[in-house]
Structures are given as structure tokens and as C-alpha cells.
Amino acid sequence: MEYALQQLLNALAFGAEYALVALGLAVVFSIMGLVNFAYGEIIAASAYAVLLAVAVGLAAPLAAVGLAIAMGILASVLLERVAFRPVRRAPLTTGLLTAFGVSIVLQNLFQLFISPRPQALPLLNGLNQTLMVGPYAVSSLQLMQLATAIVAGGALVWFLNRTTLGIAMRAAAGDFATVRLQGIRADRVVAAAFALSGLLAGIAAVFVLARRGSVAPDMGFMLVLKAFVACVIGGFGSLAGAALGGMVLGFIEVGLLVLLPAEYGGIKETLTYCIVIALLLLRPEGLMGTRRELGDKEA
Amino acid sequence: MLKIEKLSVRYGTVHAVQDLDLAVAEGELVALLGPNGAGKSSTIEAIIGLVAAGGRVEMDGQDISRLPPELRIRRGLALSPEGRRVFAGLTVAENLRLAAATRRDRAGVRADTDRFMELFPVLRARMHQPAGTLSGGEQQMLAIARALMTRPRLLLLDEPSLGLAPRIVQRIFEVIAELKAGGMTILLVEQNAAHALRLADRAYVLGAGRLQYQGPARDLASDRLMSLYIGG
Ligand SMILES: Nc1ncnc2c1ncn2[C@@H]1O[C@H](COP(=O)(O)OP(=O)(O)OP(=O)(O)O)[C@@H](O)[C@H]1O
Ligand SMILES: [Mg+2]
């Protein structure tokens, strides 16, 4: 029982983290049609901001959380301004290549100016403690991840449905030109999407830091790759799909961890992607995506 | 109010509009006519800033041809686009709310919403329904209401009667007449030339991107129109 509960919390916590990062990707994609492959480096930038703050003597965990989030927003908005805005009207592949380029440049900057090797940063380790809830031992970090994902998801839904800027973002996902015909500045809507995305990156950075207790130039890479898979599972461009896809991926991974005998642990990733492929064969448009009519295939 | 000089729109090698001069004075209803592919929508989109164009577009004597669409809206232009382009996933209320996004007069917005509900009673019952679920006629009414919500001084209407039942077309033209009576300046693109010319003060006829005719709507409403459309 305790083991099952522990694994359920595990799955929810992993799922929540994937869902947060997937939402960060989807917010930008739904409006710009851009898969921001530099997203992992925004997460890393947030973590490095904390590293630098600690280096100059600031060592309050709460301030570090605020700093990471602020840096996520700043880095994301700044990247949009200097890298993505100039290619906004270019074909989508140009944006994709730009994102890859930015990703590599940022990783190199971290390597060059800080270090190519991981740097210890235990400041936020305190977030990750074992709590006793009744007879059960649970990780405070996992509970926080779950709670944060629920709050962030709820806040996002509220923002998108109740504020004019949020409604404009939903409208822009379908027809950006017509949003401009309402007198709404295109740059504002895009900047808001990147700010939102950066905010989620900052939160993700806090969790990654608390778990691994160190920073590294490629620390965001695997997470963003997983989040990308979550977006594909959920249906690219759908925010609800991104959140759901993240959760599904969390459950697949933890489920396999539980079901596979320890000596087969090495094929966990392989099996994960087999399941993902099977899901996509069943629903090629993703769980929450809309089906596009492409005609019948000749037999 | 609006003055266009030597407007040209090109898509690759296609000259959609060439050297077009056009003017709309305050309070006028001007019809822009022409067969399919004549360049009417391209002209409208160049005026509002959705397509890049050569030449000059002036609003109130000021050159606006370098401004993005959102700033042209703020100068008092608004467009009800061809194909309506309502935000399908947003409710009727949300569609109107976006159009009011740049306005600060909350009371005025509420008053306008009420006015549009009176102008188009079918919208009132559908305020919280996704715009994508509205019928074509209802979507057209929403598109016009949405354009009016930005408080334009010059309203651009691109084929507001396209694909609608005669009764709805009738209603749309009544509304256009009411707007004109209320002093609104309008540039109207229509396939339904006879109908448009009954309301218009002046008309321009485009053919293959070039100006074929301009003059009082009354003169054009005769058989001359037919020959223009067919022979040119
Ligand atoms: N985005 C585009 N790319 C390439 N060619 C275009 C584009 N938009 C319009 N055209 C071409 O420009 C010409 C004028 O098109 P436009 O839509 O302005 O005509 P229109 O007078 O509005 O026609 P309709 O009455 O059918 O709406 C057409 O030959 C059309 O094929
Ligand atoms: Mg047209």
C-alpha cells in the first residue's frame, strides 16, 4: 500500500514537472508556431542566475526562487526580442533553426563563462525533505511540484479566460492577423506568451535545482525533450493537451519503473517511447489535438 | 478623410493592384466594385496594413503607409474582413471584448454593446456561445459589430453579403444604410453591385488590378455597369 502510494506520488510529481515545461513550450507554439528548442537553456539560465547570486553572497532560498523565476521571464522575453522577432515572418523552419542556434550559443556561453562541468548549488536542497504524513514517508519536493503545477495550471486557465491579454492570446493562436485588426499590438501578445513561458521555465528551474543540487550547461536538455514528447502525446498546440501529455508521460515512466524487474531497467526509455508511438498510432493528432482531414490513404 | 495614391500590391509576379488612386471623404459611402480577382480585397488589406504595398495611404492628411495594422486601427480605421474571420474558439462576448481592448471608456463600451445587440438582436442570445458555432449570417453580423466596437471613423467592409440568404443580405444592407445615416464613413466592397450602388455616393470599379471607372454611383447603376463587368 505504502509502496503504491509512493509510486503514485512519484508519477504525479514527474507528470507535474513535465506538464509545466510542456505548457511553457505550448504557450509559445500555439501562438507563434515555434518549437522553442532553446527552452532548456532558459531553464539553465534561471539556475545560473541563482548560482551567481550565491557567489556574490545572497543565500536566502526564498529570494533564490524569486530570482530564478524573474530570470526565466527576463531570458525568455529577451530571447524573443533579439533572436525570434527578427525571423517572425520567416518560414517556420527558420524559427526552428534559430532556436537550435540560440540553444547552442547559450550552452557555449555557460561553458565559457562559468564552467563546462556541473557546479554544486545546494541552496535549494532544503526544499527536498522527507515528510511523514501519517505513516507515510513522502518527499516535500514532490508535494510542492504537484501543488505548484495545480496552482500554475489554474492560474493559466484563469489568465487565458478572464483577462483581455489572455483572450487575445487564445485568439492569436487561431488568427494573429485579425487580432491586430482589433488594435491589439502583435508584439505585446508575443511578449506576453514568452513571458508566461519564461515564468514556467523559472519554476521548473527551481525544481530541477532542488532535486539535483547542481547546475550544468545542459541541465534543461532532457527535461525539454521529455516536455516536447508530452506535447506530441497531448496534441501540439493544445495547452490542455500539453498538461495531459505531461501527466501521461509521468505515469508511463513511473509505471514502467514499477513493473519492470530491476535488471531490465535499461530498457525503460525504449519501452516508454514504444508506448508513445503506440499512442500516436491510435491517435495521430495527439490526445487533445484536432483531427485534420487529409483524405483517405490508398491501400 | 482617406486618400490613396499610386497604390500597388504584388504577390510575387502577380500584380494584384497597380497605380490605384482612390479617396473617401468624411460621411461618404464609397463602393469598390469589380469581378473576382480584380484586386478589391488586396486594396482593402493594403489600406489596413495587412499586406505590404507600394504607394501612399493617407488618413486625415497623414501618411500611414508605414504603420502596422494595430496602429492604423488606432487612427480610426476598422475592417470587417472578407470571410468574416470571427475568432471561432472565443465566445461572441469575448470577440467583442477584444475589439474593445484599446478603449478606456468602460461605460461607452457597455453602451456600444447594447447598441449592437439592438442592431443585431440575434447576437444577444448567443453572447456566451463560441463564435464558430454561429451561422454565416450571424458571424457576419458579429464581424461588423466587432469592427464598430473599435470606434472607427472609417469602416471598411469587404463583401459583407457574401454567401448569405436574401433576407440576411437585406438586413446587412439595412444596417449599412443606418450606419451611413448616422454619419459613418464607409468603403464597401461588394459583389452585389446593384445593391451596393443603391446605397453608395460614389463608386470605383477595378479590373485586373487597375482602375476601370470612377464616378457617382447613380451613373454607374445603369447598363454601363454590365458592359464594364463583361467587356471592360
Ligand atoms: N496571398 C496571395 N498570394 C498570391 N496571390 C494572391 C494573394 N492574394 C491575392 N492574390 C491574387 O491577387 C489578385 C487579386 O486578389 P484579391 O483577393 O484582391 O481580389 P478580389 O477583387 O478581392 O477578388 P474576390 O472578389 O474574389 O474577393 C488575384 O489574382 C489573386 O489570385
Ligand atoms: Mg476579395
Side-chain angles (χ1 to χ4, degrees):
Chain A
M1 183 60 206
E2 182 181 336
Y3 180 70
L5 216 63
Q6 179 53 49
Q7 294 306 333
L8 177 68
L9 183 59
N10 249 336
L12 286 171
F14 270 104
E17 188 166 318
Y18 296 152
L20 271 185
V21 180
L23 275 174
L25 285 180
V27 158
V28 165
F29 180 84
S30 66
I31 291 177
M32 312 283 296
L34 171 79
V35 181
N36 185 2
F37 274 110
Y39 199 51
E41 283 61 48
I42 297 175
I43 294 175
S46 292
Y48 275 107
V50 176
L51 181 75
L52 293 182
V54 170
V56 300
L58 182 145
L62 203 63
V65 169
L67 179 67
I69 291 173
M71 186 61 191
I73 296 173
L74 184 72
S76 183
V77 170
L78 211 64
L79 276 192
E80 189 275 319
R81 196 59 252 264
V82 302
F84 296 126
R85 191 175 297 184
V87 297
R88 198 187 287 170
R89 287 162 181 283
L92 286 181
T93 39
T94 310
L96 206 61
L97 288 176
T98 305
F100 270 121
V102 168
S103 162
I104 293 168
V105 167
L106 284 180
Q107 282 206 25
N108 281 316
L109 286 179
F110 296 143
Q111 290 175 5
L112 210 66
F113 288 104
I114 297 164
S115 167
R117 276 172 299 122
Q119 303 289 303
L121 182 53
L123 179 63
L124 297 178
N125 289 7
L127 297 181
N128 196 3
Q129 280 169 355
T130 305
L131 295 179
M132 294 309 292
V133 179
Y136 306 119
V138 296
S139 144
S140 60
L141 179 63
Q142 291 192 329
L143 286 180
M144 254 185 279
Q145 281 179 308
L146 194 55
T148 307
I150 291 169
V151 171
L156 191 62
V157 168
W158 175 84
F159 175 77
L160 291 173
N161 286 293
R162 290 281 175 267
T163 69
T164 304
L165 191 56
I167 296 170
M169 286 172 61
R170 275 161 61 214
D175 184 351
F176 209 143
T178 306
V179 171
R180 308 181 76 180
L181 287 185
Q182 315 310 312
I184 297 169
R185 287 174 201 264
D187 290 344
R188 265 260 203 99
V189 177
V190 173
F194 273 89
L196 214 52
S197 174
L199 174 100
L200 294 170
I203 295 174
V206 170
F207 291 145
V208 176
L209 266 184
R211 196 171 51 237
R212 52 180 276 164
S214 67
V215 295
D218 61 352
M219 64 186 283
F221 179 77
M222 270 317 284
L223 186 55
V224 169
L225 197 65
K226 294 267 172 71
F228 178 75
V229 173
C231 285
V232 173
I233 294 175
F236 231 105
S238 153
L239 296 187
L244 180 66
M247 276 296 167
V248 169
L249 189 61
F251 271 82
I252 293 177
E253 285 194 348
V254 173
L256 286 174
L257 207 65
V258 172
L259 296 175
L260 284 179
E263 61 267 34
Y264 290 112
I267 62 166
K268 194 195 93 194
E269 296 283 297
T270 315
L271 275 182
T272 300
Y273 289 103
C274 285
I275 294 173
V276 169
I277 290 170
L279 271 178
L280 291 177
L281 286 174
L282 286 175
R283 280 188 72 86
E285 68 281 8
L287 297 176
M288 309 282 278
T290 39
R291 183 160 235 141
R292 267 184 302 160
E293 178 59 63
L294 297 172
D296 296 323
K297 273 251 173 63
E298 300 284 313
Chain B
M1 178 177 276
L2 177 78
K3 198 164 141 211
I4 296 168
E5 285 169 356
K6 289 201 165 309
L7 188 83
S8 328
V9 178
R10 290 179 57 167
Y11 304 103
T13 56
V14 179
H15 273 282
V17 181
Q18 275 185 67
D19 290 334
L20 176 65
D21 293 342
L22 180 152
V24 182
E26 185 149 6
E28 255 191 329
L29 198 168
V30 173
L32 179 59
L33 308 174
N36 289 124
K40 306 181 296 293
S41 295
S42 300
T43 302
I44 293 286
E45 286 179 8
I47 294 172
I48 205 84
L50 285 179
V51 298
R56 203 178 153 84
V57 180
E58 264 183 25
M59 183 80 178
D60 305 320
Q62 283 182 324
D63 185 6
I64 58 167
S65 45
R66 296 283 157 265
L67 294 183
E70 52 263 43
L71 295 187
R72 299 192 198 196
I73 301 298
R74 291 166 192 225
R75 294 287 177 100
L77 285 166
L79 167 64
S80 163
E82 185 173 21
R84 294 133 203 171
R85 293 173 74 161
V86 297
F87 301 116
L90 272 51
T91 63
V92 170
E94 287 173 333
N95 268 271
L96 292 174
R97 177 168 171 184
L98 278 194
T102 55
R103 292 176 57 172
R104 290 288 159 263
D105 56 327
R106 281 165 174 267
V109 170
R110 225 171 297 124
D112 276 354
T113 308
D114 286 342
R115 195 158 62 84
F116 301 149
M117 296 299 107
E118 252 159 59
L119 212 53
F120 304 115
V122 289
L123 292 183
R124 192 191 295 275
R126 293 168 177 77
M127 278 303 265
H128 301 291
Q129 194 172 314
T133 64
L134 300 184
S135 75
E138 291 158 0
Q139 289 191 10
Q140 184 60 59
M141 293 174 191
L142 175 57
I144 294 175
R146 191 177 61 176
L148 290 172
M149 188 56 106
T150 63
R151 287 225 146 147
R153 287 178 296 119
L154 170 59
L155 179 63
L156 309 173
L157 297 170
D158 195 349
E159 312 234 17
S161 75
L162 193 68
L164 302 182
R167 202 172 46 84
I168 311 288
V169 172
Q170 194 58 44
R171 179 70 201 131
I172 299 277
F173 276 104
E174 276 168 28
V175 166
I176 296 173
E178 278 175 45
L179 290 172
K180 176 178 157 59
M184 179 68 75
T185 312
I186 299 171
L187 178 59
L188 170 66
V189 170
E190 259 299 329
Q191 289 285 329
N192 198 332
H195 230 134
L197 288 173
R198 228 170 292 148
L199 287 182
D201 301 306
R202 291 187 305 115
Y204 292 80
V205 180
L206 286 180
R210 288 183 178 279
L211 188 62
Q212 306 292 327
Y213 172 89
Q214 72 170 97
R218 205 176 309 115
D219 299 358
L220 195 60
S222 61
D223 55 1
R224 175 117 196 259
L225 179 72
M226 296 315 285
S227 67
L228 268 170
Y229 268 106
I230 298 163

